[in-house]
Coordinates of all heavy atoms in Angstrom, one line a residue:
M99 N 121.0 -7.8 -79.7 CA 120.9 -8.8 -80.5 C 120.9 -10.2 -79.6 O 121.8 -10.3 -78.7 CB 122.1 -8.9 -81.5 CG 122.0 -10.1 -82.4 SD 123.2 -9.6 -83.8 CE 122.9 -10.9 -84.8
A100 N 120.2 -11.2 -79.9 CA 120.1 -12.4 -79.1 C 121.3 -13.2 -79.4 O 121.7 -13.3 -80.4 CB 118.7 -13.0 -79.4
S101 N 121.7 -13.9 -78.3 CA 122.8 -14.9 -78.4 C 122.4 -16.1 -79.1 O 121.0 -16.4 -79.2 CB 123.3 -15.2 -77.1 OG 122.3 -16.1 -76.4
P102 N 123.2 -16.9 -79.6 CA 122.8 -18.2 -80.2 C 121.9 -19.1 -79.3 O 121.1 -19.8 -79.8 CB 124.1 -18.9 -80.6 CG 125.0 -17.8 -80.8 CD 124.7 -16.7 -79.8
A103 N 122.2 -19.2 -78.0 CA 121.6 -19.9 -77.1 C 120.1 -19.4 -76.9 O 119.1 -20.2 -76.8 CB 122.3 -19.8 -75.7
E104 N 120.0 -18.1 -76.8 CA 118.7 -17.4 -76.7 C 117.8 -17.7 -78.0 O 116.7 -18.0 -77.9 CB 118.8 -16.0 -76.4 CG 117.5 -15.1 -76.4 CD 116.6 -15.6 -75.2 OE1 117.1 -16.3 -74.2 OE2 115.4 -15.4 -75.2
K105 N 118.4 -17.6 -79.2 CA 117.7 -17.9 -80.4 C 117.3 -19.4 -80.4 O 116.1 -19.7 -80.9 CB 118.7 -17.6 -81.7 CG 118.9 -16.2 -81.9 CD 119.8 -16.0 -83.0 CE 120.0 -14.6 -83.3 NZ 120.9 -14.4 -84.5
A106 N 118.2 -20.3 -79.9 CA 117.7 -21.7 -79.9 C 116.6 -22.0 -78.9 O 115.7 -22.6 -79.2 CB 118.9 -22.6 -79.4
R107 N 116.7 -21.2 -77.7 CA 115.5 -21.3 -76.7 C 114.3 -20.7 -77.4 O 113.2 -21.4 -77.2 CB 115.9 -20.5 -75.6 CG 114.9 -20.7 -74.4 CD 115.2 -19.8 -73.1 NE 114.9 -18.5 -73.4 CZ 113.7 -17.9 -73.3 NH1 112.6 -18.7 -73.1 NH2 113.6 -16.5 -73.5
R108 N 114.3 -19.6 -78.1 CA 113.0 -19.2 -78.6 C 112.5 -20.0 -79.8 O 111.3 -20.2 -79.8 CB 113.5 -17.8 -79.2 CG 113.6 -16.8 -78.3 CD 114.0 -15.3 -79.0 NE 114.4 -14.3 -78.0 CZ 114.9 -13.1 -78.3 NH1 115.0 -12.8 -79.6 NH2 115.3 -12.2 -77.4
K109 N 113.4 -20.6 -80.5 CA 112.9 -21.6 -81.6 C 112.3 -22.8 -80.9 O 111.2 -23.3 -81.3 CB 114.1 -22.1 -82.4 CG 113.7 -23.0 -83.6 CD 114.9 -23.5 -84.3 CE 114.4 -24.5 -85.5 NZ 113.3 -25.3 -85.2
Q110 N 112.9 -23.3 -79.8 CA 112.3 -24.5 -79.1 C 110.9 -24.0 -78.5 O 109.9 -24.9 -78.7 CB 113.2 -24.9 -78.0 CG 112.8 -26.0 -77.3 CD 113.7 -26.4 -76.1 OE1 114.4 -25.6 -75.5 NE2 113.8 -27.8 -75.8
L111 N 110.7 -22.8 -78.0 CA 109.4 -22.4 -77.4 C 108.4 -22.2 -78.6 O 107.3 -22.7 -78.4 CB 109.7 -21.1 -76.7 CG 110.3 -21.2 -75.4 CD1 110.6 -19.8 -74.8 CD2 109.6 -22.1 -74.4
R112 N 108.9 -21.7 -79.7 CA 107.9 -21.4 -80.8 C 107.5 -22.8 -81.4 O 106.4 -23.1 -81.6 CB 108.7 -20.7 -82.0 CG 107.7 -20.3 -83.1 CD 108.5 -19.5 -84.2 NE 109.8 -19.9 -84.5 CZ 111.0 -19.3 -84.2 NH1 111.0 -18.2 -83.4 NH2 112.2 -19.7 -84.4
D113 N 108.4 -23.8 -81.5 CA 108.0 -25.1 -82.0 C 107.1 -25.8 -81.0 O 106.2 -26.5 -81.5 CB 109.4 -26.0 -82.2 CG 110.1 -25.5 -83.4 OD1 109.7 -24.6 -84.2 OD2 111.3 -25.9 -83.5
A114 N 107.3 -25.7 -79.8 CA 106.5 -26.3 -78.8 C 105.1 -25.7 -78.9 O 104.0 -26.5 -78.8 CB 107.0 -26.2 -77.3
Y115 N 104.9 -24.4 -79.0 CA 103.7 -23.7 -79.1 C 102.9 -24.3 -80.4 O 101.8 -24.5 -80.3 CB 104.0 -22.2 -79.1 CG 102.6 -21.5 -79.6 CD1 101.6 -21.2 -78.5 CD2 102.4 -21.1 -80.8 CE1 100.6 -20.6 -78.7 CE2 101.2 -20.4 -81.0 CZ 100.3 -20.1 -80.0 OH 99.0 -19.5 -80.2
K116 N 103.7 -24.2 -81.5 CA 103.0 -24.8 -82.8 C 102.6 -26.3 -82.7 O 101.5 -26.5 -83.1 CB 104.1 -24.6 -84.0 CG 104.2 -23.2 -84.4 CD 105.2 -23.1 -85.5 CE 105.5 -21.8 -85.9 NZ 106.5 -21.7 -87.2
N117 N 103.4 -27.1 -82.0 CA 102.9 -28.5 -81.8 C 101.7 -28.6 -80.9 O 100.8 -29.4 -81.3 CB 104.1 -29.3 -81.2 CG 105.2 -29.6 -82.3 OD1 104.9 -29.5 -83.5 ND2 106.4 -29.8 -81.9
A118 N 101.7 -27.8 -80.0 CA 100.5 -27.7 -79.0 C 99.3 -27.3 -79.8 O 98.3 -27.9 -79.7 CB 100.8 -27.0 -77.7
E119 N 99.4 -26.3 -80.6 CA 98.3 -25.8 -81.2 C 97.8 -26.7 -82.2 O 96.6 -26.9 -82.4 CB 98.8 -24.3 -82.0 CG 97.6 -23.8 -82.8 CD 98.1 -22.5 -83.4 OE1 99.0 -22.6 -84.2 OE2 97.6 -21.5 -83.1
R120 N 98.7 -27.5 -83.0 CA 98.2 -28.4 -83.9 C 97.5 -29.7 -83.2 O 96.5 -30.1 -83.8 CB 99.5 -29.0 -84.6 CG 99.2 -30.0 -85.7 CD 100.5 -30.5 -86.5 NE 101.5 -29.5 -86.8 CZ 102.7 -29.5 -86.3 NH1 103.0 -30.3 -85.4 NH2 103.5 -28.5 -86.6
E121 N 98.1 -30.0 -82.0 CA 97.4 -31.1 -81.4 C 95.9 -30.8 -80.9 O 95.1 -31.5 -81.1 CB 98.3 -31.5 -80.2 CG 99.4 -32.2 -80.5 CD 100.2 -32.6 -79.2 OE1 99.6 -32.6 -78.1 OE2 101.4 -32.7 -79.3
V122 N 95.8 -29.5 -80.4 CA 94.4 -29.1 -80.1 C 93.5 -29.0 -81.3 O 92.4 -29.5 -81.4 CB 94.5 -27.7 -79.5 CG1 93.1 -27.0 -79.4 CG2 95.1 -27.7 -78.1
R123 N 94.0 -28.6 -82.5 CA 93.1 -28.5 -83.7 C 92.8 -30.0 -84.2 O 91.8 -30.2 -84.5 CB 93.9 -27.6 -84.9 CG 94.0 -26.2 -84.5 CD 94.9 -25.5 -85.6 NE 94.2 -25.6 -86.9 CZ 94.8 -25.6 -88.0 NH1 96.1 -25.3 -87.9 NH2 94.2 -25.5 -89.1
T124 N 93.8 -30.8 -84.1 CA 93.7 -32.1 -84.6 C 92.6 -32.8 -83.7 O 91.8 -33.6 -84.2 CB 95.0 -32.8 -84.5 OG1 95.8 -32.2 -85.5 CG2 94.9 -34.3 -85.0
S125 N 92.6 -32.6 -82.4 CA 91.7 -33.2 -81.5 C 90.3 -32.9 -81.8 O 89.4 -33.6 -81.5 CB 92.0 -33.0 -80.1 OG 91.7 -31.6 -79.8
L126 N 90.0 -31.8 -82.5 CA 88.7 -31.4 -82.8 C 88.1 -31.9 -84.2 O 87.0 -31.8 -84.4 CB 88.7 -29.7 -82.9 CG 88.9 -29.1 -81.6 CD1 89.1 -27.6 -82.0 CD2 88.0 -29.3 -80.6
M127 N 89.1 -32.5 -84.9 CA 88.6 -33.2 -86.2 C 88.2 -34.6 -85.9 O 89.0 -35.5 -85.5 CB 89.8 -33.2 -87.2 CG 89.5 -33.7 -88.5 SD 88.2 -32.8 -89.4 CE 89.1 -31.5 -90.1
P128 N 86.9 -35.0 -86.1 CA 86.4 -36.3 -85.6 C 86.8 -37.4 -86.5 O 86.3 -38.5 -86.4 CB 84.9 -36.1 -85.6 CG 84.7 -35.1 -86.7 CD 85.9 -34.1 -86.6
I129 N 87.6 -37.2 -87.6 CA 88.0 -38.1 -88.6 C 89.5 -38.3 -88.8 O 90.2 -37.2 -88.4 CB 87.3 -37.9 -90.0 CG1 87.7 -36.6 -90.6 CG2 85.8 -38.1 -89.8 CD1 87.1 -36.3 -92.0
D130 N 90.0 -39.4 -89.2 CA 91.3 -39.6 -89.3 C 91.9 -39.1 -90.8 O 91.1 -38.5 -91.5 CB 91.8 -41.0 -89.2 CG 91.2 -41.9 -90.2 OD1 90.8 -41.5 -91.3 OD2 91.2 -43.1 -89.8
R131 N 93.0 -39.1 -91.0 CA 93.7 -38.5 -92.2 C 93.1 -39.1 -93.4 O 92.9 -38.5 -94.5 CB 95.2 -38.8 -92.2 CG 96.0 -38.3 -93.3 CD 97.5 -38.6 -93.3 NE 98.0 -37.8 -92.2 CZ 99.0 -38.1 -91.5 NH1 99.8 -39.2 -91.8 NH2 99.5 -37.4 -90.5
D132 N 93.0 -40.5 -93.4 CA 92.4 -41.2 -94.7 C 91.0 -40.6 -95.0 O 90.6 -40.4 -96.1 CB 92.4 -42.7 -94.4 CG 93.9 -43.3 -94.5 OD1 94.8 -42.5 -95.1 OD2 94.0 -44.3 -94.0
R133 N 90.2 -40.6 -93.9 CA 88.8 -40.0 -94.2 C 88.8 -38.6 -94.5 O 88.0 -38.2 -95.4 CB 88.0 -40.4 -93.0 CG 87.7 -41.8 -92.8 CD 86.7 -42.1 -91.7 NE 85.5 -42.6 -92.4 CZ 84.4 -43.0 -91.7 NH1 84.3 -42.8 -90.4 NH2 83.5 -43.4 -92.3
L134 N 89.8 -37.8 -94.0 CA 89.7 -36.4 -94.5 C 90.2 -36.3 -95.9 O 89.6 -35.6 -96.6 CB 90.8 -35.6 -93.5 CG 90.9 -34.1 -93.9 CD1 89.6 -33.3 -93.7 CD2 91.8 -33.5 -92.9
T135 N 91.1 -37.1 -96.3 CA 91.5 -37.1 -97.7 C 90.4 -37.5 -98.6 O 90.1 -36.9 -99.7 CB 92.7 -38.1 -98.0 OG1 93.8 -37.7 -97.2 CG2 93.1 -38.3 -99.4
A136 N 89.4 -38.4 -98.1 CA 88.4 -38.9 -98.8 C 87.3 -37.8 -98.9 O 86.8 -37.6 -100.1 CB 87.6 -40.2 -98.3
L137 N 87.1 -37.1 -97.9 CA 86.3 -36.0 -97.8 C 86.7 -34.9 -98.9 O 85.9 -34.4 -99.6 CB 86.2 -35.3 -96.5 CG 85.6 -34.0 -96.3 CD1 84.0 -34.0 -96.7 CD2 85.7 -33.4 -94.9
V138 N 88.0 -34.6 -98.8 CA 88.5 -33.5 -99.8 C 88.3 -33.9 -101.1 O 87.9 -33.1 -102.0 CB 90.0 -33.1 -99.3 CG1 90.5 -32.2 -100.3 CG2 90.0 -32.5 -98.0
D139 N 88.7 -35.3 -101.5 CA 88.5 -35.7 -102.9 C 87.0 -35.6 -103.3 O 86.8 -35.2 -104.5 CB 89.0 -37.2 -102.9 CG 90.5 -37.3 -102.8 OD1 91.2 -36.2 -102.9 OD2 91.0 -38.3 -102.5
F140 N 86.2 -36.0 -102.4 CA 84.7 -35.9 -102.7 C 84.2 -34.6 -103.1 O 83.6 -34.2 -104.0 CB 84.0 -36.6 -101.6 CG 82.4 -36.5 -101.8 CD1 81.7 -37.6 -102.5 CD2 81.7 -35.6 -101.3 CE1 80.4 -37.6 -102.6 CE2 80.3 -35.5 -101.4 CZ 79.6 -36.6 -102.1
V141 N 84.5 -33.6 -102.2 CA 84.2 -32.2 -102.2 C 84.8 -31.6 -103.4 O 84.2 -30.9 -104.3 CB 84.5 -31.5 -100.9 CG1 84.3 -30.1 -101.2 CG2 83.7 -32.0 -99.7
D142 N 86.1 -31.9 -103.6 CA 86.8 -31.3 -104.8 C 86.2 -31.7 -106.3 O 85.9 -31.0 -107.0 CB 88.2 -31.8 -104.8 CG 89.1 -31.1 -105.8 OD1 88.8 -30.0 -106.2 OD2 90.2 -31.7 -106.3
G143 N 85.7 -33.1 -106.2 CA 85.1 -33.5 -107.5 C 83.8 -32.8 -107.7 O 83.5 -32.4 -108.9
H144 N 83.0 -32.5 -106.6 CA 81.8 -31.9 -106.8 C 81.9 -30.3 -107.1 O 81.2 -29.8 -107.9 CB 80.9 -32.1 -105.6 CG 80.2 -33.5 -105.6 ND1 79.3 -34.0 -106.5 CD2 80.6 -34.6 -105.0 CE1 78.9 -35.2 -106.3 NE2 79.9 -35.7 -105.4
V145 N 82.9 -29.8 -106.4 CA 83.0 -28.4 -106.6 C 83.6 -28.1 -108.0 O 83.1 -27.2 -108.7 CB 84.0 -27.8 -105.7 CG1 84.5 -26.4 -106.0 CG2 83.4 -27.7 -104.2
A146 N 84.5 -29.0 -108.5 CA 85.0 -28.8 -109.9 C 83.8 -29.1 -110.8 O 83.8 -28.3 -111.8 CB 86.1 -29.8 -110.1
A147 N 82.9 -29.9 -110.6 CA 81.8 -30.1 -111.7 C 80.8 -29.1 -111.5 O 80.2 -28.7 -112.4 CB 81.2 -31.5 -111.4
E148 N 80.4 -28.7 -110.3 CA 79.2 -27.8 -110.1 C 79.5 -26.4 -109.5 O 78.6 -25.6 -109.5 CB 78.3 -28.5 -109.1 CG 77.8 -29.8 -109.6 CD 76.9 -30.7 -108.6 OE1 76.0 -29.9 -107.9 OE2 77.1 -31.8 -108.4
G149 N 80.7 -26.2 -109.1 CA 81.2 -24.9 -108.5 C 80.7 -24.8 -107.0 O 80.0 -25.8 -106.5
C150 N 81.2 -23.8 -106.5 CA 81.0 -23.7 -104.9 C 80.0 -22.6 -104.8 O 80.1 -21.5 -105.2 CB 82.3 -23.3 -104.2 SG 82.1 -23.1 -102.5
D151 N 78.9 -22.9 -104.0 CA 77.9 -21.9 -103.7 C 78.0 -21.3 -102.3 O 77.2 -20.6 -101.9 CB 76.6 -22.5 -103.9 CG 76.2 -23.7 -102.8 OD1 77.1 -24.0 -102.1 OD2 75.1 -24.2 -103.0
H152 N 79.3 -21.5 -101.9 CA 79.7 -21.0 -100.6 C 78.9 -21.5 -99.4 O 78.6 -20.7 -98.4 CB 79.8 -19.4 -100.6 CG 80.6 -18.9 -101.7 ND1 82.1 -19.3 -101.7 CD2 80.4 -18.4 -103.0 CE1 82.7 -18.7 -102.9 NE2 81.6 -18.3 -103.7
T153 N 78.5 -22.7 -99.5 CA 77.8 -23.5 -98.4 C 78.7 -24.8 -98.2 O 79.7 -24.9 -98.7 CB 76.4 -23.9 -98.9 OG1 76.5 -24.9 -99.8 CG2 75.5 -22.7 -99.4
R154 N 78.1 -25.5 -97.3 CA 78.8 -26.8 -96.9 C 78.1 -28.0 -97.5 O 78.2 -29.1 -96.9 CB 78.9 -26.9 -95.4 CG 79.6 -25.6 -94.8 CD 79.2 -25.6 -93.3 NE 79.4 -24.2 -92.7 CZ 80.4 -24.0 -91.7 NH1 81.2 -25.0 -91.4 NH2 80.6 -22.9 -91.4
R155 N 77.2 -27.9 -98.5 CA 76.4 -29.0 -98.9 C 77.1 -30.1 -99.2 O 76.7 -31.3 -98.9 CB 75.5 -28.4 -99.9 CG 76.2 -28.1 -101.4 CD 75.2 -27.5 -102.4 NE 75.9 -27.1 -103.4 CZ 75.6 -27.4 -104.7 NH1 74.5 -28.1 -105.0 NH2 76.3 -27.0 -105.8
F156 N 78.2 -30.1 -100.0 CA 78.9 -31.3 -100.4 C 79.5 -32.0 -99.1 O 79.5 -33.3 -99.1 CB 80.0 -31.2 -101.5 CG 79.3 -30.4 -102.8 CD1 79.9 -29.4 -103.3 CD2 78.3 -31.1 -103.3 CE1 79.3 -28.8 -104.4 CE2 77.6 -30.5 -104.5 CZ 78.2 -29.4 -105.1
S157 N 80.1 -31.3 -98.4 CA 80.7 -31.8 -97.1 C 79.7 -32.5 -96.3 O 79.9 -33.6 -95.7 CB 81.3 -30.7 -96.2 OG 82.4 -30.2 -96.9
E158 N 78.6 -31.9 -96.1 CA 77.5 -32.4 -95.3 C 76.9 -33.7 -96.0 O 76.7 -34.6 -95.3 CB 76.3 -31.4 -95.1 CG 75.2 -31.8 -94.3 CD 74.2 -30.8 -93.9 OE1 74.2 -29.7 -94.5 OE2 73.3 -31.1 -93.1
W159 N 76.8 -33.7 -97.2 CA 76.4 -34.9 -98.0 C 77.3 -36.1 -97.7 O 76.9 -37.2 -97.5 CB 76.3 -34.4 -99.6 CG 75.9 -35.6 -100.5 CD1 75.4 -36.8 -100.3 CD2 76.0 -35.6 -101.9 NE1 75.2 -37.5 -101.5 CE2 75.6 -36.6 -102.5 CE3 76.4 -34.6 -102.8 CZ2 75.6 -37.0 -103.8 CZ3 76.5 -34.7 -104.2 CH2 75.9 -35.9 -104.6
W160 N 78.7 -35.8 -97.9 CA 79.6 -36.8 -97.7 C 79.6 -37.3 -96.2 O 79.5 -38.6 -96.0 CB 81.0 -36.2 -98.0 CG 82.1 -37.3 -97.7 CD1 82.6 -38.1 -98.6 CD2 82.8 -37.5 -96.5 NE1 83.5 -39.0 -98.1 CE2 83.6 -38.6 -96.7 CE3 82.8 -37.0 -95.2 CZ2 84.6 -39.1 -95.7 CZ3 83.7 -37.5 -94.2 CH2 84.5 -38.5 -94.5
A161 N 79.4 -36.5 -95.2 CA 79.3 -36.9 -93.9 C 78.2 -37.7 -93.7 O 78.2 -38.8 -93.0 CB 79.2 -35.7 -92.9
R162 N 76.9 -37.4 -94.2 CA 75.8 -38.3 -94.0 C 75.9 -39.6 -94.6 O 75.5 -40.7 -94.0 CB 74.5 -37.5 -94.4 CG 74.2 -36.3 -93.6 CD 73.0 -35.6 -93.9 NE 72.8 -34.3 -93.4 CZ 72.6 -34.0 -92.1 NH1 72.5 -35.0 -91.2 NH2 72.4 -32.8 -91.7
E163 N 76.6 -39.6 -95.8 CA 76.8 -40.9 -96.5 C 77.7 -41.8 -95.7 O 77.6 -43.0 -95.8 CB 77.3 -40.6 -97.9 CG 76.3 -40.3 -98.9 CD 77.0 -40.3 -100.4 OE1 78.1 -40.4 -100.5 OE2 76.2 -40.2 -101.4
Q164 N 78.6 -41.2 -95.1 CA 79.7 -42.0 -94.2 C 79.3 -42.3 -92.8 O 80.0 -42.9 -92.1 CB 81.0 -41.2 -94.2 CG 81.5 -40.9 -95.5 CD 82.0 -42.2 -96.2 OE1 82.6 -43.0 -95.7 NE2 81.6 -42.3 -97.5
G165 N 78.1 -41.7 -92.5 CA 77.6 -42.0 -91.0 C 78.4 -41.3 -90.0 O 78.5 -41.6 -88.8
I166 N 78.9 -40.1 -90.5 CA 79.7 -39.3 -89.5 C 78.8 -38.0 -89.0 O 78.1 -37.4 -89.8 CB 80.9 -38.6 -90.3 CG1 81.9 -39.8 -90.6 CG2 81.7 -37.6 -89.4 CD1 82.9 -39.4 -91.6
D167 N 78.9 -37.8 -87.7 CA 78.1 -36.7 -87.1 C 78.5 -35.3 -87.8 O 79.7 -34.9 -87.7 CB 78.4 -36.6 -85.6 CG 77.7 -35.5 -85.0 OD1 76.3 -35.4 -85.1 OD2 78.3 -34.5 -84.5
W168 N 77.5 -34.7 -88.3 CA 77.8 -33.6 -89.3 C 78.4 -32.5 -88.3 O 79.2 -31.7 -88.7 CB 76.6 -33.1 -90.1 CG 76.7 -31.8 -90.6 CD1 75.8 -30.8 -90.4 CD2 77.7 -31.3 -91.5 NE1 76.4 -29.6 -91.0 CE2 77.5 -29.9 -91.7 CE3 78.9 -31.9 -92.1 CZ2 78.3 -29.1 -92.5 CZ3 79.7 -31.2 -92.9 CH2 79.5 -29.8 -93.1
E169 N 77.7 -32.2 -87.2 CA 78.2 -31.1 -86.4 C 79.5 -31.2 -85.9 O 80.3 -30.2 -85.8 CB 77.1 -30.7 -85.3 CG 75.8 -30.2 -85.6 CD 76.0 -28.8 -86.4 OE1 76.8 -27.9 -85.9 OE2 75.5 -28.7 -87.5
S170 N 79.9 -32.4 -85.6 CA 81.3 -32.6 -85.1 C 82.3 -32.3 -86.3 O 83.4 -31.7 -86.1 CB 81.5 -34.0 -84.6 OG 80.9 -34.2 -83.4
L171 N 81.8 -32.7 -87.5 CA 82.8 -32.6 -88.7 C 82.8 -31.1 -89.0 O 83.9 -30.6 -89.3 CB 82.3 -33.4 -89.8 CG 83.1 -33.4 -91.1 CD1 84.6 -33.7 -90.8 CD2 82.5 -34.2 -92.2
R172 N 81.6 -30.6 -88.9 CA 81.6 -29.1 -89.2 C 82.6 -28.2 -88.3 O 83.4 -27.4 -88.8 CB 80.2 -28.6 -89.1 CG 80.1 -27.1 -89.5 CD 78.7 -26.4 -89.2 NE 78.6 -26.5 -87.6 CZ 79.1 -25.8 -86.8 NH1 80.1 -24.8 -87.1 NH2 78.9 -25.9 -85.5
R173 N 82.5 -28.6 -87.0 CA 83.3 -27.8 -86.1 C 84.9 -28.1 -86.4 O 85.8 -27.1 -86.4 CB 83.1 -28.2 -84.7 CG 81.7 -27.5 -84.2 CD 81.5 -27.8 -82.7 NE 81.4 -29.1 -82.3 CZ 80.4 -29.9 -82.3 NH1 79.1 -29.3 -82.7 NH2 80.3 -31.2 -82.0
G174 N 85.2 -29.4 -86.8 CA 86.6 -29.8 -87.0 C 87.0 -29.1 -88.1 O 88.2 -28.5 -88.4
R175 N 86.2 -29.1 -89.3 CA 86.6 -28.3 -90.6 C 86.9 -26.8 -90.4 O 87.7 -26.3 -91.0 CB 85.5 -28.5 -91.6 CG 85.3 -29.7 -92.3 CD 83.9 -29.7 -93.1 NE 83.5 -28.4 -93.2 CZ 83.1 -27.8 -94.3 NH1 83.1 -28.6 -95.4 NH2 82.5 -26.7 -94.4
D176 N 85.9 -26.2 -89.5 CA 86.1 -24.9 -89.2 C 87.5 -24.5 -88.7 O 88.1 -23.6 -89.0 CB 85.1 -24.3 -88.3 CG 83.7 -24.3 -89.0 OD1 83.6 -24.5 -90.1 OD2 82.7 -24.0 -88.2
E177 N 88.0 -25.4 -87.7 CA 89.4 -25.3 -87.2 C 90.5 -25.3 -88.3 O 91.4 -24.7 -88.0 CB 89.6 -26.4 -86.2 CG 88.9 -26.2 -84.8 CD 89.4 -24.9 -84.2 OE1 90.6 -24.6 -84.0 OE2 88.5 -24.1 -83.7
F178 N 90.2 -26.0 -89.3 CA 91.2 -25.9 -90.4 C 90.9 -25.1 -91.5 O 91.5 -25.1 -92.7 CB 91.3 -27.6 -91.1 CG 92.0 -28.4 -90.0 CD1 91.4 -29.1 -89.0 CD2 93.4 -28.8 -90.2 CE1 92.0 -29.9 -88.2 CE2 94.0 -29.4 -89.3 CZ 93.3 -30.1 -88.3
G179 N 89.9 -24.2 -91.3 CA 89.7 -23.1 -92.4 C 88.8 -23.6 -93.5 O 88.7 -22.9 -94.5
G180 N 87.9 -24.7 -93.2 CA 87.0 -25.1 -94.2 C 85.5 -24.6 -93.9 O 84.6 -25.4 -93.7
F181 N 85.3 -23.3 -94.2 CA 84.1 -22.8 -93.9 C 83.0 -22.8 -94.9 O 81.9 -22.5 -94.8 CB 84.3 -21.2 -93.4 CG 85.2 -21.0 -92.3 CD1 86.5 -20.7 -92.4 CD2 84.6 -21.2 -91.0 CE1 87.3 -20.5 -91.3 CE2 85.5 -21.1 -89.9 CZ 86.8 -20.7 -90.1
C182 N 83.5 -23.3 -96.2 CA 82.6 -23.6 -97.2 C 83.3 -24.7 -98.0 O 84.4 -25.1 -97.8 CB 82.2 -22.4 -98.2 SG 83.5 -21.8 -99.2
D183 N 82.5 -25.2 -98.9 CA 83.1 -26.4 -99.7 C 84.5 -26.0 -100.4 O 85.4 -26.9 -100.4 CB 82.1 -27.1 -100.7 CG 81.1 -27.9 -99.9 OD1 81.5 -28.5 -98.8 OD2 79.9 -27.9 -100.4
C184 N 84.6 -25.0 -101.1 CA 85.7 -24.7 -101.8 C 87.0 -24.5 -100.9 O 88.1 -24.8 -101.1 CB 85.6 -23.5 -102.8 SG 85.3 -21.9 -102.0
E185 N 86.6 -24.1 -99.6 CA 87.7 -23.8 -98.6 C 88.1 -25.3 -98.1 O 89.3 -25.3 -97.7 CB 87.2 -22.9 -97.6 CG 87.1 -21.4 -98.0 CD 86.7 -20.4 -96.9 OE1 86.1 -20.9 -95.9 OE2 87.0 -19.3 -97.0
V186 N 87.3 -26.2 -97.9 CA 87.8 -27.5 -97.6 C 88.8 -28.1 -98.5 O 89.8 -28.5 -98.1 CB 86.5 -28.5 -97.7 CG1 87.0 -29.9 -97.5 CG2 85.5 -28.2 -96.6
V187 N 88.6 -27.8 -99.8 CA 89.6 -28.3 -100.9 C 90.8 -27.4 -100.7 O 92.0 -28.0 -100.7 CB 89.1 -28.1 -102.3 CG1 90.1 -28.4 -103.3 CG2 87.8 -29.0 -102.4
M188 N 90.8 -26.2 -100.4 CA 92.0 -25.4 -100.2 C 92.7 -25.4 -98.9 O 93.9 -25.3 -98.9 CB 91.6 -23.8 -100.6 CG 91.0 -23.6 -101.9 SD 92.1 -23.9 -103.3 CE 93.4 -22.6 -103.0
N189 N 91.9 -25.7 -97.8 CA 92.5 -25.4 -96.5 C 92.7 -26.6 -95.6 O 93.4 -26.6 -94.7 CB 91.7 -24.4 -95.7 CG 91.8 -23.0 -96.3 OD1 92.8 -22.7 -97.2 ND2 90.7 -22.3 -96.2
C190 N 91.9 -27.7 -95.9 CA 91.8 -28.8 -95.0 C 92.9 -29.9 -95.3 O 92.6 -30.9 -96.1 CB 90.3 -29.5 -94.9 SG 89.3 -28.4 -94.1
D191 N 94.1 -29.6 -94.9 CA 95.2 -30.6 -95.2 C 95.2 -31.8 -94.4 O 95.3 -31.7 -93.2 CB 96.5 -29.7 -94.9 CG 97.8 -30.4 -95.2 OD1 97.8 -31.5 -95.8 OD2 98.9 -29.9 -94.8
S192 N 95.1 -32.9 -95.0 CA 95.1 -34.1 -94.3 C 96.3 -34.4 -93.6 O 96.3 -35.2 -92.7 CB 94.8 -35.4 -95.4 OG 95.8 -35.4 -96.3
H193 N 97.5 -33.9 -94.0 CA 98.7 -34.0 -93.3 C 98.8 -33.4 -91.9 O 99.5 -33.7 -91.0 CB 99.8 -33.5 -94.0 CG 100.0 -34.3 -95.3 ND1 100.3 -35.7 -95.4 CD2 99.8 -34.0 -96.6 CE1 100.3 -36.1 -96.6 NE2 100.0 -35.1 -97.4
A194 N 97.7 -32.6 -91.6 CA 97.7 -31.9 -90.4 C 97.0 -32.8 -89.3 O 96.9 -32.4 -88.2 CB 97.0 -30.5 -90.4
V195 N 96.3 -33.8 -89.8 CA 95.5 -34.7 -88.9 C 96.3 -36.0 -88.6 O 96.9 -36.5 -89.5 CB 94.2 -35.1 -89.6 CG1 93.3 -35.9 -88.7 CG2 93.3 -33.7 -89.8
S196 N 96.3 -36.3 -87.4 CA 97.0 -37.6 -87.0 C 96.3 -38.9 -87.4 O 95.0 -38.8 -87.7 CB 97.2 -37.6 -85.6 OG 96.0 -37.7 -84.8
G197 N 96.9 -39.8 -87.5 CA 96.2 -41.2 -87.9 C 96.7 -41.6 -89.2 O 96.3 -42.5 -89.8

């Protein structure tokens, strides 16, 4: 059984790892928190109205309307688990992005 000091050290290492992982993922998202929230809201409205066809068509539509490079946004979304439009709504948490 680990000592309290060893448990604290392990927790500190785990937290540092999670923070580093979050920073890497966040650096891949080309938009800030407010724009990600706007993307999720836009996609959510369209998925609710039309359903998800398991493509990225609403996300791509939003990016083009906003003048955001689609390929950069696609890669960033993928890091957050947004592989289709309904997954953007479920997985792309704006609180995970700095800004």
Side-chain angles (χ1 to χ4, degrees):
M99 185 165 185
S101 70
E104 178 62 18
K105 287 181 182 180
R107 186 184 75 78
R108 289 177 185 174
K109 181 183 182 320
Q110 184 179 29
L111 289 172
R112 185 175 49 250
D113 290 347
Y115 175 81
K116 286 180 182 180
N117 287 337
E119 184 179 62
R120 185 179 316 112
E121 286 179 28
V122 168
R123 290 176 63 206
T124 297
S125 71
L126 297 173
M127 183 64 79
I129 56 178
D130 63 18
R131 180 179 297 150
D132 291 338
R133 289 188 113 180
L134 182 57
T135 298
L137 167 64
V138 171
D139 289 346
F140 178 87
V141 170
D142 188 28
H144 285 282
V145 168
E148 301 176 42
C150 182
D151 62 1
H152 304 293
T153 68
R154 306 161 195 249
R155 67 185 172 132
F156 301 129
S157 296
E158 186 173 2
W159 178 9
W160 181 88
R162 292 188 194 287
E163 282 188 349
Q164 300 298 313
I166 296 169
D167 178 64
W168 167 242
E169 283 304 311
S170 294
L171 181 60
R172 184 195 56 76
R173 285 189 300 273
R175 284 175 11 138
D176 288 356
E177 282 298 315
F178 285 87
F181 298 103
C182 72
D183 284 327
C184 65
E185 288 181 339
V186 167
V187 175
M188 299 297 290
N189 299 333
C190 292
D191 179 8
S192 64
H193 297 293
V195 177
S196 62

